[in-house]
Every structure is written in C-alpha cells, then in structure tokens.
Amino acid sequence: LARGLGRQEARETLAHECMHGIFYSQPAVRAACAAFWAERAGEEGREAWSSFLADFGYDTGNEGLVLNEFFAYMTTETRLFGSPKPSLKSLGRRTDKAGGGRRMELLRELQREFNAFIRDLVPGPRPRLDKGTCLLE
C-alpha cells in the first residue's frame, strides 16, 4: 500500500483492491456489472460515473476499466460520494466541476441501487477489515 496512508485508509484501499480480484475472478459478477451498467445505470448515471473517473485520471474510453472501477468503488467507497457533502479537496483532489452536487447525489443513488442488485452475486467471504469496508454486508 502507498506510503502515508492512515490505518483506516489502508483498510479501505485493501478492501477496494480485493474487489478488483473478485471482479476478475468471477464471470457472473462481471456480467452482472455490465448488465447493470447497460440496463439500469441510465445515461445520466453513466455520465456521472464517467466524469467522476475522468477527474481522477482514469481512461474512461476503456469500458472494462470503467466497469471494474465501478464495481470496486460502489461496493467499498464510503467517503467520496457516501456522505451528503463529500469533499475531494480534503483528499488532495480537485473539487467537483459545476453541477458536482448533483453528480454526487447520482453516484450515491447508483451505489445504493447497485449494491442491492449485486449483493447476492458476490461470493463470500467478502472483504471485511476491522470496521468492515465492504458495503455488501
């Protein structure tokens, strides 16, 4: 893990990385992610997610990467879009573009819907590190 991470941030990062392993090792999870993305995320939700990733420098033209990160972030993230007023600035990132409040609202809605949709397809044991950072529990 990266230097300078606090204990909780290291746990959260490890849980996020574990979810990448589940994404790659479970064809049913990958298929369900793709189905949710195509059929349930909606155009506005896909745009919100893509712009979120672009702000962090991800290649949003790579659909496999977009889906993989969607799965990992949506199942573990509690700080960036998990609270009503997230602050990217506090994490050393630039703040949202214009309309970012709506984007974060959309991402929180997507997260709730996606976790309800995918929960039963993710095999156990799920990453649970101390305070539990996997939102599928």
Side-chain angles (χ1 to χ4, degrees):
L1 293 176
R3 285 185 176 168
L5 292 181
R7 178 170 271 182
Q8 186 59 31
E9 192 173 8
R11 286 183 185 111
E12 292 167 355
T13 299
L14 187 54
H16 175 98
E17 298 306 324
C18 286
M19 298 312 276
H20 286 306
I22 290 172
F23 182 87
Y24 281 119
S25 67
Q26 301 295 316
V29 168
R30 284 193 309 279
C33 287
F36 183 90
W37 183 252
E39 300 163 16
R40 298 181 75 173
E43 186 175 336
E44 195 176 18
R46 287 188 296 272
E47 172 68 27
W49 179 247
S50 294
S51 70
F52 174 83
L53 285 182
D55 281 355
F56 283 91
Y58 287 94
D59 175 6
T60 59
N62 180 334
E63 188 172 344
L65 174 68
V66 169
L67 291 175
N68 187 348
E69 292 299 339
F70 184 77
F71 177 70
Y73 274 105
M74 290 295 165
T75 56
T76 63
E77 184 55 54
T78 60
R79 292 191 288 168
L80 288 178
F81 45 83
S83 65
K85 294 185 179 182
S87 171
L88 297 180
K89 185 183 273 186
S90 69
L91 297 174
R93 305 284 187 195
R94 64 186 166 142
T95 56
D96 276 342
K97 298 175 186 175
R102 174 67 180 139
R103 179 173 76 176
M104 290 302 164
E105 182 182 317
L106 282 167
L107 292 176
R108 286 190 301 274
E109 290 171 18
L110 271 176
Q111 187 178 45
R112 283 189 296 274
E113 292 172 21
F114 180 71
N115 282 314
F117 175 82
I118 198 87
R119 178 174 283 118
D120 293 336
L121 296 174
V122 177
R126 297 177 181 135
R128 188 165 187 87
L129 308 167
D130 189 33
K131 295 181 182 178
T133 53
C134 180
L135 299 176
L136 296 173
E137 293 301 319

